[in-house]
Amino acid sequence: INTINLDFTSVTMPTNEWFHFALVRNTSGTNRFEVYINGTLQQTINNSTAWPDVAGALVIGDDLFNPDKEFTGYMDEFRVSNTARYTADFTPDTTEFSSDANTKLLIHSNTTMGSTTFTDSSSGAHTITANGDVRHIAPKIGNGMGVFDGSGDELSTPTSTDFLYGTGDFTHEAWISPT
């Protein structure tokens, strides 16, 4: 497994409230990772390390190296893009994300309460496997959202070259409410 450790020491994430979270790799001018909370830049980490160019699965909600740091809370409108969607402060859209040529994964969570079926609405149409008891409940945006209880819950995709970023730009974003 290849990883890049990013230390978000100056990022305070609210708990028990909804906020838009975006992790952006922006290689324009300087090579850096940026963390945005509700559209406001919270931290910049200068890092020239290439994202590992090894095709692999994308795992959401689980920390494979720190089981005590698994995501606990709610998540809606999860999108992965191969572009830096945000390069300055912005106002997060409170409607469903759209899929475009740069969208590599898009989970709307628009399904029925209790469902464990998660659908990728990007053109890649990746199969998403729900592990643990992650499921859909009442929504933040649209018709449903995912709930993670922090105990073995994760969503994962099969191995794909869609998540090969190398030294290029990318954005991972979602509406989340950690508990």
Side-chain angles (χ1 to χ4, degrees):
I1 296 176
N2 293 297
T3 64
I4 293 176
N5 185 15
L6 301 176
D7 184 11
F8 300 130
T9 55
S10 66
V11 177
T12 301
M13 294 193 194
T15 55
N16 298 310
E17 67 180 73
W18 282 101
F19 63 93
H20 180 270
F21 174 86
L23 171 63
V24 178
R25 175 119 187 242
N26 181 357
T27 60
S28 176
T30 61
N31 195 10
R32 62 183 182 241
F33 292 89
E34 299 168 333
V35 177
Y36 292 88
I37 303 287
N38 285 330
T40 301
L41 180 62
Q42 300 293 312
Q43 184 174 8
T44 299
I45 301 168
N46 292 317
N47 186 323
S48 60
T49 305
W51 198 263
D53 251 350
V54 177
L58 178 66
V59 177
I60 303 164
D62 191 6
D63 187 326
L64 301 174
F65 302 101
N66 298 300
D68 59 327
K69 293 187 177 182
E70 293 178 347
F71 180 71
T72 303
Y74 307 96
M75 190 178 303
D76 201 1
E77 291 303 306
F78 186 92
R79 179 169 62 180
V80 174
S81 307
N82 67 353
T83 188
R85 289 195 182 270
Y86 313 109
T87 57
D89 288 356
F90 62 98
T91 301
D93 195 348
T94 57
T95 61
E96 290 185 351
F97 294 142
S98 59
S99 182
D100 57 25
N102 297 108
T103 304
K104 298 303 174 185
L105 180 74
L106 178 58
I107 304 171
H108 291 302
S109 291
N110 287 341
T111 191
T112 58
M113 283 283 286
S115 171
T116 58
T117 300
F118 289 80
T119 302
D120 177 8
S121 296
S122 75
S123 62
H126 300 280
T127 299
I128 300 170
T129 301
N131 296 302
D133 59 359
V134 63
R135 64 194 181 288
H136 295 280
I137 63 166
K140 159 71 177 154
I141 297 171
N143 297 324
M145 67 180 164
V147 61
F148 298 75
D149 67 10
S151 179
D153 294 346
E154 69 179 33
L155 300 176
S156 63
T157 68
T159 298
S160 173
T161 58
D162 280 346
F163 311 118
L164 296 178
Y165 307 121
T167 57
D169 294 343
F170 68 80
T171 303
H172 287 209
E173 65 183 313
W175 281 94
I176 63 176
S177 178
T179 56

